[in-house]
């Protein structure tokens, strides 16, 4: 069973930056998991923010392209989300997901609040 723990959320002013981390435990094969960041704002459905595959290929939602960057450190079993030029519409709970074929694991989420 893989456990995912997000950290790094908080309150930031518009235009500011935050770096989220997601630490995985319970697996010795972290490098085999595709990893993703998702977010859910109040009253809205959870949406994809960014993904990074086992091979390092990345993909981003149009709304965050050029502002957010996803990366991974397989030696530390950690995936990161660098968020720059934050906007009020980025306010949400951010979740980390690990996927191996059809098996998925989710973290508990970390709150990001951007004040305008």
């Amino acid at each position: 069973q893989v456990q995912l723990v997000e950290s790094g959320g908080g309150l930031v002013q518009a235009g500011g930056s935050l770096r989220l981390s997601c630490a995985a435990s319970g697996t010795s094969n972290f490098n085999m998991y595709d990893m993703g960041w998702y977010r859910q704002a109040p009253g809205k459905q959870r949406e994809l923010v960014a993904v990074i595959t086992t091979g390092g290929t990345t993909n981003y939602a149009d709304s965050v392209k050029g502002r957010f960057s996803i990366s991974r450190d397989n030696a530390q079993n950690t995936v990161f989300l660098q968020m720059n030029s934050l906007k009020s519409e980025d306010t949400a709970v951010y979740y980390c997901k690990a996927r191996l074929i059809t098996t998925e694991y989710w973290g508990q989420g970390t709150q990001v609040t951007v004040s305008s």
Side-chain angles (χ1 to χ4, degrees):
Q1 186 82 2
V2 176
Q3 293 84 41
L4 301 174
V5 178
E6 302 96 336
S7 62
L11 174 64
V12 63
Q13 288 187 337
S17 299
L18 283 175
R19 189 191 195 207
L20 305 184
S21 299
C22 171
S25 60
T27 179
S28 59
N29 298 310
F30 177 77
N31 60 308
M32 296 178 65
Y33 287 82
D34 293 328
M35 300 298 297
W37 285 98
Y38 293 73
R39 67 187 181 187
Q40 187 167 18
K44 295 187 177 181
Q45 291 190 339
R46 192 172 297 189
E47 63 176 2
L48 171 70
V49 176
V51 295
I52 184 166
T53 68
T54 57
T57 299
T58 59
N59 193 25
Y60 299 90
D62 287 343
S63 60
V64 306
K65 282 181 181 176
R67 300 188 298 123
F68 290 12
S69 177
I70 188 171
S71 61
R72 66 191 297 163
D73 184 336
N74 290 333
Q76 295 188 29
N77 284 12
T78 303
V79 63
F80 304 96
L81 184 68
Q82 178 67 44
M83 306 187 294
N84 300 326
S85 302
L86 283 161
K87 305 175 181 179
S88 57
E89 50 263 44
D90 295 318
T91 295
V93 177
Y94 283 71
Y95 298 91
C96 175
K97 186 182 84 170
R99 185 178 67 88
L100 176 60
I101 309 177
T102 59
T103 301
E104 296 182 348
Y105 300 98
W106 289 88
Q108 293 299 306
T110 184
Q111 176 70 46
V112 171
T113 303
V114 184
S115 63
S116 57

